[in-house]
Every structure is written in structure tokens, then in C-alpha cells.
Amino acid sequence: MSTMTRNNVTGYQMPTLLYPSNALEPVISRTTIEYHYGKHMQAYVDSLNRLSHGNEYEKMPLREIVERAPEGPLLNNAGQVLNHALYFEQFTPYPKANNRPEGTLLSAIKFDFGNFDTLRQRMEEACASLFGSGWVWLAQDERGKLDIMRCYNGDTPARHRKRALYGIDVWEHAYYLDYQNRRADHVKRLWEIIDWELVESRMDL
Ligand code: MN
């Protein structure tokens, strides 16, 4: 990911937020972005830098850490840094009610799911039935097939050699300030702010 860089002196840097913190309202509030990006993601970046300091992971690219690190705090934090970099990048600051994929991405969705509404329904069901904290990803495998992945805690598609196309963060910190316990309501509204061109650019075509 172009926005996730590591500086040899200070370690991994936060990716730049590409829109103002209130730009995703009313789907995601300014307050949620300020905590989620500014506090939660910052904490994952700080932990990653602390845990990789002075060892073999210090100068390793993030994706390589995610693929190679053993289970444990370093992997958890590296996975969350990657997940959140992908997450904050994938939204457009122009919410619209009938926001849908087009072109090559839509063709791939039709091939693997039948139609977009089926994909949407299956991702919503995966979010509703994920017990605890984690992520639901639209991912692409090495043969190009699209699939829905449920990842618990800090797990991420790259760990399983899959490409992450679009991810829904179902940790409570992603929605609790705006939607309280109504995870399903939050997930349904996210479709309004997905940057589908960006999602398509993540595909291996
Ligand atoms: Mn999160």
C-alpha cells in the first residue's frame, strides 16, 4: 500500500487520512474518525514500532511481517496496522444512497456471487454472525476468485495469501459511538461511502 510507509529512524508512520474527519458524516461521525484513526490506529502503529524495535522485523515491509511473524502481539498489531490502512483509504467523502460497483469489479462480483445485492447480503450476514471482534473482507485469491472472509481480531487476508479488496471493521470501536449496539445498522450504511474505483484498483486483473 502506497500510503503505509516506514521511516528508518522513527519506524512505521500513520498513513495520511485522505479526507477531512467529518467528510463521512452521517455514515461515520467526526468523533468516531477522530478516535478510530487518531487513537486506535495510532496505538497499533506505536505498538508495532515498539514490538519490532531492535529485532529482525524492524526493517521488514509490513506485508512481510504479516506473512511471516509467529502468532502473538507483533503479528496482531502488524495485522491491525495493515487492516486500518486499507480501511481508511477505501472510503469516499461523497456519501450517496445508490452507490454501486461498476465495470470490471461488477463483472467479477456477478461471476462469483450472481449479483451485487447477493454480495451485500452475504457480507452483512457475515458481520452479524461474527462473534466478538474482527473484520469481514471481500478478498481475492491467487486464482482471481472473489470470496468473503471472516477474520477474527487482527487477522488479515494477506496472512492467508489473499488480496484485501474491501473490509468492514466490526470491532465495537468502529461503530459504538454512532450506532451503540446496532452493528447491523452501521454495516448497512457503509455501502454509501465505499470508493468502488479504489476497491477495483486493489484487484489483480
Ligand atoms: Mn478498528
Side-chain angles (χ1 to χ4, degrees), residues 36 84 135 169 173:
H36 196 185
H84 285 85
W135 295 77
D169 186 344
H173 67 226

Side-chain angles (χ1 to χ4, degrees), residues 60-71 75 82-83 86 137-147 149 151 155-165 202-204:
M60 198 179 279
L62 183 60
R63 274 176 199 279
E64 215 174 312
I65 298 179
V66 165
E67 287 173 7
R68 292 172 51 179
E71 300 283 330
L75 176 63
L82 181 57
N83 282 336
L86 291 162
W137 287 96
L138 176 63
Q140 187 183 32
D141 70 16
E142 287 164 338
R143 294 168 301 141
K145 186 179 185 306
L146 303 186
D147 205 0
M149 280 185 83
C151 293
D155 195 15
T156 188
R159 178 77 173 175
H160 308 276
R161 307 284 165 152
K162 292 191 177 183
R163 269 170 189 275
L165 302 186
R202 291 173 174 172
M203 292 175 75
D204 183 23

Side-chain angles (χ1 to χ4, degrees), residues 66 72 120 142 153 170:
V66 165
R120 194 160 55 176
E142 287 164 338
N153 301 313
V170 293

Side-chain angles (χ1 to χ4, degrees), residues 12-64:
Y12 287 94
Q13 308 288 303
M14 286 285 282
T16 305
L17 197 61
L18 301 173
Y19 39 80
S21 56
N22 65 350
L24 305 180
E25 291 184 341
V27 180
I28 302 176
S29 71
R30 172 201 287 259
T31 310
T32 290
I33 291 291
E34 285 174 353
Y35 277 89
H36 196 185
Y37 171 80
K39 304 287 185 191
H40 289 277
M41 185 176 182
Q42 182 71 60
Y44 294 129
V45 169
D46 291 346
S47 296
L48 172 62
N49 285 329
R50 182 170 43 79
L51 293 163
S52 61
H53 181 71
N55 59 44
E56 63 183 296
Y57 299 101
E58 183 160 15
K59 292 185 177 168
M60 198 179 279
L62 183 60
R63 274 176 199 279
E64 215 174 312

